[in-house]
Every structure is written in C-alpha cells, then in structure tokens.
Amino acid sequence: MIKHEVMEPFSLEWFICIGIVMLIISLIIILPRYFQWARSKNYPIAIGILMLVNLLIENGYAISLGIWNVKQNLPLHLCGLSGIMGMILMFRFNNAIAQVFYYFGMTGSIHSLLTPEFDLGMQGYFFYGYFISHGGLMMICLYMIFHLNFEPAKGSWLKTFAIIQIFVLVIGIFDFLTDSNYMYLAEPPVVDNPLIMGAWPWYILVFEALALIHFFAFYKLYRVFK
C-alpha cells in the first residue's frame, strides 16, 4: 500500500506551491481575454488534454515504480471523479454534467489545496501531479464561468447533493469488496483538518452535512459575485 503523506498548511512550502498554482490558473483564465488563439475551440480541448495526460502519467509512473494497485490508483476519490467530468467538459461542454462538476470541483479542489494529502505519496511526479489535477479542477470551474457562460441552475446544489449519495453508495460497495478507501468511506483522511470529526462512521455524517453546506455556499457565492 502507498503511504499517504501530507503537507503542512501555511508552511513556506505550502505558500510557494499554492502561489504557483494560483498564478498558473489566473494566466490560463486571463489569456482568452487578450489573445485570439486562446479564444479558439481548441483552447479548452488543450486543457482537457493536459488533465488527461497528467492522469496517464501518474498511473504510468506508479506502474513503473511497481506500486500501482486497484485499491489506491483508480480515479474514484471525489477529485478523481471530478477530474473525469472536467475532461469531458473541456472536450465537449455539457450543461447537465457541468451542474454537478461545479460543486464537486470547487469543494474538492479548495479543500485539497488548503490541506494537501498526497494519497499516492510525494515521490517524484506524484508531487506535481497532485497540484496539476487539483488545481485543474478549480481552473476548469472558473473557465466555465468566465468563458462558457456557465451558471449554477436554481436548486442545482440540492440535486447535486442527491447525486453524490449515489456515488457514495456505489463507491462504498466497491471499497467494501476491494478493501479500499476511496472517497474516505472506510477511514478518515490523515490530514490535520478541523472539519474531520469523529471515528467511523460518524465522520461520514459530518462529511455529508459539510457537503450540503458547501454546495449551498457555492451556489450563493456565484449569485453574490454575479
């Protein structure tokens, strides 16, 4: 099993990494405002290809190290599932998928960047791949808003909360059958996060409540900033 590693939030290393990620996201979002080539239909496709290549490299790197396994390397965490949806949206935008991705992507990326937990470890490419995949989620969310005229539909936050229950059920069954911990349904994350409270299964109920609060907050925040 690959040992999870964490980065201390608000450490010098954390500030450097987050600063670089935010700078890259800002540049990619701003470029279409000033350059014609960045307004072409190939621009979002390039973003999707970047996310896909990153996923393939991560898995290829794990295979090369001889540590790839079904229990940890499948994209079945919330951010992994969001990454798949994000790629689809960049290749071909679909509003129904975008309504779900917006909440998944924003919630997953913000917490993953605030309190980084490297579920594949920090060795070699895994370190860079983590920030590409999670920063990419936030980037795609912002790209949809600024360049694809996306806006969360009325009640979409509540519908997404209902949809995530299906993911929890399916992934939970998979975890049970394979002794995995995707979506942290078998064990809580090891990262020091004050929002992770209680032992199994109580922390999952806290996650559920927090998911509902986050989805509602992101829905309202969009309305406020709009």
Side-chain angles (χ1 to χ4, degrees):
M1 295 291 287
I2 304 171
K3 182 180 179 181
H4 288 212
E5 298 183 60
V6 299
M7 177 184 289
E8 186 66 30
F10 308 112
S11 63
L12 178 60
E13 182 182 29
W14 181 88
F15 275 112
I16 292 173
C17 291
I18 298 304
I20 293 173
V21 169
M22 292 299 108
L23 176 61
I24 294 174
I25 290 175
S26 299
L27 285 174
I28 292 176
I29 298 301
I30 290 172
L31 283 176
R33 292 181 177 271
Y34 299 99
F35 298 98
Q36 180 65 37
W37 58 265
R39 291 193 289 272
S40 75
K41 63 180 182 180
N42 292 325
Y43 191 73
I45 292 175
I47 295 175
I49 291 174
L50 170 65
M51 297 289 285
L52 176 59
V53 169
N54 180 62
L55 178 63
L56 293 176
I57 293 177
E58 277 190 330
N59 281 271
Y61 185 63
I63 292 172
S64 71
L65 295 176
I67 58 176
W68 193 96
N69 63 87
V70 172
K71 294 182 180 181
Q72 292 178 286
N73 292 93
L74 297 177
L76 297 181
H77 282 295
L78 180 64
C79 289
L81 296 168
S82 302
I84 300 297
M85 288 189 284
M87 293 177 211
I88 294 172
L89 290 170
M90 292 295 94
F91 289 127
R92 185 171 183 176
F93 184 77
N94 179 286
N95 189 60
I97 296 175
Q99 294 296 328
V100 177
F101 170 79
Y102 170 70
Y103 298 103
F104 280 18
M106 289 300 291
T107 302
S109 63
I110 286 178
H111 282 285
S112 295
L113 293 174
L114 281 176
T115 56
E117 178 174 342
F118 300 80
D119 53 352
L120 299 178
M122 300 172 69
Q123 179 180 356
Y125 187 80
F126 292 144
F127 180 85
Y128 305 101
Y130 180 91
F131 288 106
I132 293 172
S133 59
H134 294 88
L137 297 180
M138 182 179 293
M139 177 178 65
I140 293 173
C141 286
L142 295 176
Y143 185 86
M144 293 194 313
I145 293 171
F146 287 109
H147 301 295
L148 298 179
N149 298 316
F150 168 81
E151 63 176 78
K154 184 177 181 180
S156 58
W157 64 276
L158 196 55
K159 292 178 182 177
T160 301
F161 181 72
I163 290 172
I164 202 174
Q165 306 312 311
I166 300 173
F167 282 91
V168 168
L169 177 60
V170 174
I171 301 301
I173 294 173
F174 183 85
D175 284 346
F176 177 77
L177 294 176
T178 61
D179 192 28
S180 304
N181 190 31
Y182 291 111
M183 292 186 72
Y184 300 106
L185 296 175
E187 296 178 12
V190 298
V191 68
D192 184 15
N193 189 322
L195 298 180
I196 302 172
M197 295 176 282
W200 190 92
W202 308 114
Y203 74 89
I204 297 177
L205 299 180
V206 176
F207 280 179
E208 291 275 16
L210 289 172
L212 188 62
I213 293 171
H214 277 72
F215 294 170
F216 180 72
F218 285 126
Y219 175 78
K220 286 297 184 181
L221 280 172
Y222 176 89
R223 299 295 171 183
V224 169
F225 284 108
K226 181 182 179 182

